[in-house]
Amino acid sequence: TTTTTTTVFFFRTMVSSPRLRRGQRVLLLLVLLLHLRLGTCQRAQKKHADGTRTMEKNNNNNHAILVDASRFWFNYRHAANTLAVYKTIKRFGIPDENIILMVADDYACNSRNVRPGEVFTDDSGYENNVYTEDIEVDYRGDEVTPANVLKVLLDAHYDSGSDDDSNGILLNLPNSKRLRTDEHSNILFYLTGHGGDEFLKFQDQKEITSMDLQNAFTKMHAMKRYNELLFVMDTCQAGTMFKRFNGLRNIIAVASSMKDENSYAHGTRNDIGLAVSDRFTRFLYEYLKSENAEEITLREVFAKAQSPQMKRYLMSTVQVDWSNYGEGRALNDVKVGDFFANVRVRGHRRGSDARKSNDDKVEEEVYATILPGFATASRFSSSEKLV
């Protein structure tokens, strides 16, 4: 950029000055390097000064809440999970004003990150950066709390100095921090982090429970804040989080593991010494890279996730709950794009002949990315039982 070029020219002029001692030149060079590093991160974090976003012309009422609940460097993969899902729905056309993105730590600008301003989900290479310059993080660091998640769901933002809003003052927050939905909105609600039996930890300090979510969803329905909601969770014992969802309306829930099961990371990236994705989320975003993925039914996606081949890879049992989806469409009509895509940019429905001709190629390409040796292994059977 022009600013960076000017800065480099200024420091070069100063360093070449005969009046400076050697130690002073070294100090100036260090200041320049620090300035350039911070500039890289700041450009990736840049948002509109007034906290609002540029509105795009769209006929879209699909919204998303994406939550990374973990902080500390060793939880890099949880942020990468969330950012990969963010990148997927952005690719499908959901605009930033319809996305609430919560990231509990700043991994892109961590001093241990060998690629400042970037976050990767692949074990090697630098092609798949999910922390691009157009990213808009709405809640970061200490803002990522159970209380704020619940406030976003209910659009009930109060300042009370605690999690109890009974005596709080309603805040006038920018739209970028609010979930502006109505009775016609479909919502994708994705969470990842460290979980247990009916709870998800936030930053190793607080928890959100299945009862919290049950209460919030009940209120959301009464307030007409959604039409349909897809709840996706990738944590240990994730399926226990929708144990109390009975009686809720038009909610589909999927989780990476059942009670007493762990959710596992995928491999390790050598240059940072950490895992950079979890297996279930990796399956999800890789599978949705296939052509016209927004027209795939959710039944098909979940059936693949529960297949014997994928279960061996995941090392956990994917849980799916359709029981609270009773007032909407037939289950076979629920598509990926109904939650992951902008309705105006969704592709045309694939014909059955074209679908059959492409299925083998798509599965081979997608699963070769996830499972080593998949391309030469037996493919999924078309007669697999749907959940």
Side-chain angles (χ1 to χ4, degrees), residues 10 37 93 100 174 201 218 275 287 317 329 359 371 374 384:
F10 171 76
R37 181 184 179 95
I100 299 295
K201 291 198 299 183
T218 299
Y287 193 71
T317 308
R329 299 157 291 154
D359 266 357
L371 302 174
F374 180 86
E384 286 184 57

Side-chain angles (χ1 to χ4, degrees), residues 56-76:
E56 302 175 15
K57 292 182 179 179
N58 66 85
N59 182 28
N60 176 42
N61 203 10
N62 286 357
H63 296 252
I65 311 171
L66 312 178
V67 181
D68 155 37
S70 301
R71 72 185 321 167
F72 306 120
W73 176 245
F74 55 84
N75 290 316
Y76 180 108

Side-chain angles (χ1 to χ4, degrees), residues 312-325:
R312 286 195 294 272
Y313 165 70
L314 296 175
M315 298 191 293
S316 62
T317 308
V318 172
Q319 301 290 288
V320 181
D321 182 8
W322 296 91
S323 64
N324 297 298
Y325 189 78

